[in-house]
Amino acid sequence: MKAFIIALIVAVAIGTLAATLLNDQQRFAYQAFATSGARVSDPAGHSNLVGPHWNGVTPEPAKPAKS
């Protein structure tokens, strides 16, 4: 039982450490791929790829009328 508890504590510690390290390394696409070969502009700018008035909500499709 003691070995199981130690293994559980070590697993949680490794998971927490890995999550912290990966979170520190994460970057936005427009920061990571800012070369001439893959230009993705700042999403907050005027050249947003989905349009300036997109709010991120996908509308529900219309339900078909019953006959």
Side-chain angles (χ1 to χ4, degrees):
M1 185 68 175
K2 185 178 178 182
F4 178 74
I5 293 174
I6 291 172
L8 187 63
I9 292 170
V10 169
V12 169
I14 290 173
T16 303
L17 179 64
T20 303
L21 290 175
L22 290 174
N23 196 27
D24 290 342
Q25 296 296 322
Q26 188 174 356
R27 293 185 293 168
F28 290 109
Y30 68 89
Q31 294 169 334
F33 303 108
T35 65
S36 61
R39 178 70 67 183
V40 179
S41 64
D42 181 4
H46 290 86
S47 59
N48 192 343
L49 299 176
V50 293
H53 302 294
W54 187 65
N55 62 4
V57 177
T58 304
E60 291 286 327
K63 296 188 180 195
K66 293 185 178 180
S67 302

PDB file of all heavy atoms in Angstrom, residues 6-26:
ATOM      1  N   ILE A   6       3.120   6.189  -2.795  1.00  0.00           N
ATOM      2  CA  ILE A   6       4.309   6.897  -3.288  1.00  0.00           C
ATOM      3  C   ILE A   6       4.249   7.034  -4.806  1.00  0.00           C
ATOM      4  O   ILE A   6       4.546   8.096  -5.357  1.00  0.00           O
ATOM      5  CB  ILE A   6       5.590   6.176  -2.826  1.00  0.00           C
ATOM      6  CG1 ILE A   6       5.747   6.316  -1.316  1.00  0.00           C
ATOM      7  CG2 ILE A   6       6.807   6.730  -3.546  1.00  0.00           C
ATOM      8  CD1 ILE A   6       6.862   5.502  -0.731  1.00  0.00           C
ATOM      9  N   ALA A   7       3.848   5.963  -5.494  1.00  0.00           N
ATOM     10  CA  ALA A   7       3.734   6.014  -6.954  1.00  0.00           C
ATOM     11  C   ALA A   7       2.681   7.033  -7.378  1.00  0.00           C
ATOM     12  O   ALA A   7       2.865   7.758  -8.367  1.00  0.00           O
ATOM     13  CB  ALA A   7       3.386   4.636  -7.488  1.00  0.00           C
ATOM     14  N   LEU A   8       1.588   7.109  -6.651  1.00  0.00           N
ATOM     15  CA  LEU A   8       0.541   8.078  -6.960  1.00  0.00           C
ATOM     16  C   LEU A   8       1.040   9.506  -6.787  1.00  0.00           C
ATOM     17  O   LEU A   8       0.801  10.371  -7.648  1.00  0.00           O
ATOM     18  CB  LEU A   8      -0.670   7.821  -6.065  1.00  0.00           C
ATOM     19  CG  LEU A   8      -1.926   8.635  -6.354  1.00  0.00           C
ATOM     20  CD1 LEU A   8      -2.448   8.304  -7.737  1.00  0.00           C
ATOM     21  CD2 LEU A   8      -2.975   8.344  -5.308  1.00  0.00           C
ATOM     22  N   ILE A   9       1.768   9.758  -5.710  1.00  0.00           N
ATOM     23  CA  ILE A   9       2.317  11.096  -5.460  1.00  0.00           C
ATOM     24  C   ILE A   9       3.332  11.467  -6.537  1.00  0.00           C
ATOM     25  O   ILE A   9       3.330  12.592  -7.046  1.00  0.00           O
ATOM     26  CB  ILE A   9       2.930  11.167  -4.049  1.00  0.00           C
ATOM     27  CG1 ILE A   9       1.823  11.078  -2.997  1.00  0.00           C
ATOM     28  CG2 ILE A   9       3.745  12.435  -3.869  1.00  0.00           C
ATOM     29  CD1 ILE A   9       2.322  10.904  -1.577  1.00  0.00           C
ATOM     30  N   VAL A  10       4.181  10.516  -6.931  1.00  0.00           N
ATOM     31  CA  VAL A  10       5.175  10.777  -7.974  1.00  0.00           C
ATOM     32  C   VAL A  10       4.483  11.041  -9.313  1.00  0.00           C
ATOM     33  O   VAL A  10       4.879  11.944 -10.054  1.00  0.00           O
ATOM     34  CB  VAL A  10       6.177   9.606  -8.073  1.00  0.00           C
ATOM     35  CG1 VAL A  10       7.048   9.729  -9.304  1.00  0.00           C
ATOM     36  CG2 VAL A  10       7.032   9.545  -6.818  1.00  0.00           C
ATOM     37  N   ALA A  11       3.451  10.284  -9.633  1.00  0.00           N
ATOM     38  CA  ALA A  11       2.724  10.484 -10.893  1.00  0.00           C
ATOM     39  C   ALA A  11       2.072  11.869 -10.943  1.00  0.00           C
ATOM     40  O   ALA A  11       2.120  12.556 -11.969  1.00  0.00           O
ATOM     41  CB  ALA A  11       1.673   9.402 -11.072  1.00  0.00           C
ATOM     42  N   VAL A  12       1.482  12.295  -9.847  1.00  0.00           N
ATOM     43  CA  VAL A  12       0.865  13.626  -9.793  1.00  0.00           C
ATOM     44  C   VAL A  12       1.936  14.707  -9.920  1.00  0.00           C
ATOM     45  O   VAL A  12       1.755  15.703 -10.632  1.00  0.00           O
ATOM     46  CB  VAL A  12       0.043  13.794  -8.499  1.00  0.00           C
ATOM     47  CG1 VAL A  12      -0.379  15.237  -8.297  1.00  0.00           C
ATOM     48  CG2 VAL A  12      -1.173  12.894  -8.526  1.00  0.00           C
ATOM     49  N   ALA A  13       3.081  14.516  -9.276  1.00  0.00           N
ATOM     50  CA  ALA A  13       4.165  15.498  -9.353  1.00  0.00           C
ATOM     51  C   ALA A  13       4.716  15.596 -10.770  1.00  0.00           C
ATOM     52  O   ALA A  13       4.931  16.701 -11.285  1.00  0.00           O
ATOM     53  CB  ALA A  13       5.277  15.131  -8.377  1.00  0.00           C
ATOM     54  N   ILE A  14       4.926  14.463 -11.437  1.00  0.00           N
ATOM     55  CA  ILE A  14       5.423  14.477 -12.817  1.00  0.00           C
ATOM     56  C   ILE A  14       4.398  15.122 -13.741  1.00  0.00           C
ATOM     57  O   ILE A  14       4.744  15.917 -14.622  1.00  0.00           O
ATOM     58  CB  ILE A  14       5.773  13.051 -13.275  1.00  0.00           C
ATOM     59  CG1 ILE A  14       7.011  12.564 -12.527  1.00  0.00           C
ATOM     60  CG2 ILE A  14       6.010  13.001 -14.779  1.00  0.00           C
ATOM     61  CD1 ILE A  14       7.346  11.110 -12.780  1.00  0.00           C
ATOM     62  N   GLY A  15       3.130  14.816 -13.565  1.00  0.00           N
ATOM     63  CA  GLY A  15       2.084  15.420 -14.392  1.00  0.00           C
ATOM     64  C   GLY A  15       1.999  16.920 -14.214  1.00  0.00           C
ATOM     65  O   GLY A  15       1.855  17.671 -15.182  1.00  0.00           O
ATOM     66  N   THR A  16       2.104  17.382 -12.984  1.00  0.00           N
ATOM     67  CA  THR A  16       2.064  18.821 -12.713  1.00  0.00           C
ATOM     68  C   THR A  16       3.271  19.523 -13.317  1.00  0.00           C
ATOM     69  O   THR A  16       3.145  20.585 -13.932  1.00  0.00           O
ATOM     70  CB  THR A  16       2.004  19.072 -11.194  1.00  0.00           C
ATOM     71  OG1 THR A  16       0.877  18.397 -10.663  1.00  0.00           O
ATOM     72  CG2 THR A  16       1.906  20.554 -10.886  1.00  0.00           C
ATOM     73  N   LEU A  17       4.442  18.922 -13.178  1.00  0.00           N
ATOM     74  CA  LEU A  17       5.654  19.497 -13.750  1.00  0.00           C
ATOM     75  C   LEU A  17       5.576  19.550 -15.274  1.00  0.00           C
ATOM     76  O   LEU A  17       5.915  20.567 -15.889  1.00  0.00           O
ATOM     77  CB  LEU A  17       6.878  18.692 -13.310  1.00  0.00           C
ATOM     78  CG  LEU A  17       8.222  19.165 -13.844  1.00  0.00           C
ATOM     79  CD1 LEU A  17       8.546  20.554 -13.318  1.00  0.00           C
ATOM     80  CD2 LEU A  17       9.312  18.180 -13.462  1.00  0.00           C
ATOM     81  N   ALA A  18       5.099  18.474 -15.894  1.00  0.00           N
ATOM     82  CA  ALA A  18       4.971  18.442 -17.349  1.00  0.00           C
ATOM     83  C   ALA A  18       3.967  19.482 -17.831  1.00  0.00           C
ATOM     84  O   ALA A  18       4.213  20.179 -18.834  1.00  0.00           O
ATOM     85  CB  ALA A  18       4.547  17.051 -17.806  1.00  0.00           C
ATOM     86  N   ALA A  19       2.858  19.629 -17.150  1.00  0.00           N
ATOM     87  CA  ALA A  19       1.851  20.618 -17.547  1.00  0.00           C
ATOM     88  C   ALA A  19       2.408  22.033 -17.443  1.00  0.00           C
ATOM     89  O   ALA A  19       2.165  22.876 -18.305  1.00  0.00           O
ATOM     90  CB  ALA A  19       0.605  20.473 -16.688  1.00  0.00           C
ATOM     91  N   THR A  20       3.165  22.296 -16.395  1.00  0.00           N
ATOM     92  CA  THR A  20       3.760  23.624 -16.216  1.00  0.00           C
ATOM     93  C   THR A  20       4.771  23.920 -17.310  1.00  0.00           C
ATOM     94  O   THR A  20       4.766  25.005 -17.904  1.00  0.00           O
ATOM     95  CB  THR A  20       4.428  23.722 -14.834  1.00  0.00           C
ATOM     96  OG1 THR A  20       3.450  23.443 -13.832  1.00  0.00           O
ATOM     97  CG2 THR A  20       4.995  25.105 -14.596  1.00  0.00           C
ATOM     98  N   LEU A  21       5.635  22.958 -17.612  1.00  0.00           N
ATOM     99  CA  LEU A  21       6.651  23.168 -18.646  1.00  0.00           C
ATOM    100  C   LEU A  21       6.026  23.337 -20.029  1.00  0.00           C
ATOM    101  O   LEU A  21       6.440  24.201 -20.799  1.00  0.00           O
ATOM    102  CB  LEU A  21       7.641  22.003 -18.654  1.00  0.00           C
ATOM    103  CG  LEU A  21       8.568  21.907 -17.449  1.00  0.00           C
ATOM    104  CD1 LEU A  21       9.406  20.634 -17.518  1.00  0.00           C
ATOM    105  CD2 LEU A  21       9.464  23.130 -17.369  1.00  0.00           C
ATOM    106  N   LEU A  22       5.032  22.518 -20.345  1.00  0.00           N
ATOM    107  CA  LEU A  22       4.390  22.633 -21.650  1.00  0.00           C
ATOM    108  C   LEU A  22       3.605  23.932 -21.781  1.00  0.00           C
ATOM    109  O   LEU A  22       3.548  24.530 -22.860  1.00  0.00           O
ATOM    110  CB  LEU A  22       3.477  21.435 -21.894  1.00  0.00           C
ATOM    111  CG  LEU A  22       4.195  20.108 -22.109  1.00  0.00           C
ATOM    112  CD1 LEU A  22       3.180  18.974 -22.200  1.00  0.00           C
ATOM    113  CD2 LEU A  22       5.056  20.150 -23.349  1.00  0.00           C
ATOM    114  N   ASN A  23       2.998  24.396 -20.713  1.00  0.00           N
ATOM    115  CA  ASN A  23       2.255  25.646 -20.745  1.00  0.00           C
ATOM    116  C   ASN A  23       3.191  26.833 -20.982  1.00  0.00           C
ATOM    117  O   ASN A  23       2.838  27.787 -21.669  1.00  0.00           O
ATOM    118  CB  ASN A  23       1.478  25.840 -19.449  1.00  0.00           C
ATOM    119  CG  ASN A  23       0.419  26.897 -19.565  1.00  0.00           C
ATOM    120  OD1 ASN A  23      -0.089  27.144 -20.647  1.00  0.00           O
ATOM    121  ND2 ASN A  23       0.096  27.526 -18.457  1.00  0.00           N
ATOM    122  N   ASP A  24       4.399  26.772 -20.432  1.00  0.00           N
ATOM    123  CA  ASP A  24       5.369  27.852 -20.632  1.00  0.00           C
ATOM    124  C   ASP A  24       5.879  27.887 -22.068  1.00  0.00           C
ATOM    125  O   ASP A  24       6.258  28.946 -22.569  1.00  0.00           O
ATOM    126  CB  ASP A  24       6.549  27.693 -19.677  1.00  0.00           C
ATOM    127  CG  ASP A  24       6.168  27.966 -18.235  1.00  0.00           C
ATOM    128  OD1 ASP A  24       5.117  28.602 -18.010  1.00  0.00           O
ATOM    129  OD2 ASP A  24       6.925  27.529 -17.346  1.00  0.00           O
ATOM    130  N   GLN A  25       5.902  26.762 -22.756  1.00  0.00           N
ATOM    131  CA  GLN A  25       6.430  26.673 -24.114  1.00  0.00           C
ATOM    132  C   GLN A  25       5.388  27.000 -25.185  1.00  0.00           C
ATOM    133  O   GLN A  25       5.729  27.176 -26.345  1.00  0.00           O
ATOM    134  CB  GLN A  25       6.986  25.274 -24.379  1.00  0.00           C
ATOM    135  CG  GLN A  25       8.160  24.922 -23.516  1.00  0.00           C
ATOM    136  CD  GLN A  25       9.355  25.809 -23.763  1.00  0.00           C
ATOM    137  OE1 GLN A  25       9.642  26.178 -24.893  1.00  0.00           O
ATOM    138  NE2 GLN A  25      10.028  26.205 -22.696  1.00  0.00           N
ATOM    139  N   GLN A  26       4.129  27.079 -24.816  1.00  0.00           N
ATOM    140  CA  GLN A  26       3.055  27.279 -25.781  1.00  0.00           C
ATOM    141  C   GLN A  26       3.058  28.700 -26.321  1.00  0.00           C
ATOM    142  O   GLN A  26       3.219  29.669 -25.576  1.00  0.00           O
ATOM    143  CB  GLN A  26       1.717  26.977 -25.120  1.00  0.00           C
ATOM    144  CG  GLN A  26       0.551  26.967 -26.062  1.00  0.00           C
ATOM    145  CD  GLN A  26      -0.713  26.511 -25.357  1.00  0.00           C
ATOM    146  OE1 GLN A  26      -0.695  26.149 -24.202  1.00  0.00           O
ATOM    147  NE2 GLN A  26      -1.812  26.539 -26.067  1.00  0.00           N
TER     148      GLN A  26
END
